[in-house]
Amino acid sequence: MASTSVSRIVPASPDKVWSLIGGFGALPDWLPYIPESTPLEGGRVRRLKNPEGEVIIERLVDFNETERHYSYAILQAPFPVNGYISTIRVHTVPGQENTAEVQWSGRFNPEGATEDEVVDLFTGIYRDGLHALHETLAA
C-alpha cells in the first residue's frame, strides 16, 4: 500500500479553518478542483465533479468534530488506485491562535500505474488543494 501526506500552515485559527473545510460537502468552498459536491445517503456519501465533468464518489468513514478531522474512502473515481482512504486534519499551532496547520494524507493501492505515479498524483492534489485553501483564507 502506498501513501503520501502534505501539511500546510494557513493564516486562520483552527476553528475558522475547520468551519470552512470540516463539512463533508464543503470541498467546492475552497478546492477549485471540485466545483460541485452533491450529498447522498444523508450526507455520508458525496458525489463530486471535477472541472472536466468526471465523477468522484466518496464515503465518509470517520468524523471527529472535537479533534477536527475526517476520513473518507473513494468508491468511484478516474484515478488509478483502489483501497483509497484519506484524512484531512486541522491542528493547532502552539502559541499562534490565528494560525493552523492542515494535514491531508492518504493511502491507496496503485492499479494500472506505478506506486511513484500515484504518490506523485495525490501529493500534487493535496499540495495544490492546501495552497488553494491558504489563498482562500488569506483573501
Side-chain angles (χ1 to χ4, degrees):
M1 184 166 269
S3 65
T4 187
S5 182
V6 176
S7 293
R8 175 89 190 241
I9 300 295
V10 295
S13 70
D15 286 340
K16 182 176 179 182
V17 175
W18 184 246
S19 71
L20 175 61
I21 72 171
F24 192 54
L27 288 179
D29 297 339
W30 61 275
L31 187 63
Y33 181 70
I34 301 295
E36 184 181 322
S37 177
T38 304
L40 305 170
E41 297 184 25
R44 293 180 304 276
V45 172
R46 60 187 179 194
R47 183 179 187 274
L48 310 171
K49 279 193 181 174
N50 67 18
E52 291 77 40
E54 295 172 312
V55 172
I56 302 164
I57 299 177
E58 299 173 337
R59 175 177 295 282
L60 184 66
V61 295
D62 183 45
F63 183 88
N64 189 310
E65 182 78 29
T66 304
E67 294 182 12
R68 294 187 291 261
H69 66 81
Y70 71 82
S71 299
Y72 61 94
I74 288 180
L75 305 179
Q76 172 189 327
F79 306 128
V81 296
N82 65 51
Y84 178 99
I85 300 284
S86 184
T87 301
I88 294 179
R89 295 180 181 275
V90 178
H91 299 283
T92 59
V93 177
Q96 299 183 39
E97 65 185 46
N98 290 315
T99 303
E101 179 184 11
V102 180
Q103 178 186 28
W104 197 351
S105 60
R107 62 185 194 275
F108 35 81
N109 296 308
E111 185 175 81
T114 69
E115 183 171 316
D116 287 345
E117 287 170 335
V118 293
V119 167
D120 288 349
L121 171 68
F122 287 108
T123 299
I125 289 171
Y126 300 166
R127 183 187 58 241
D128 294 349
L130 294 182
H131 176 75
L133 174 63
H134 185 278
E135 295 297 308
T136 298
L137 291 167

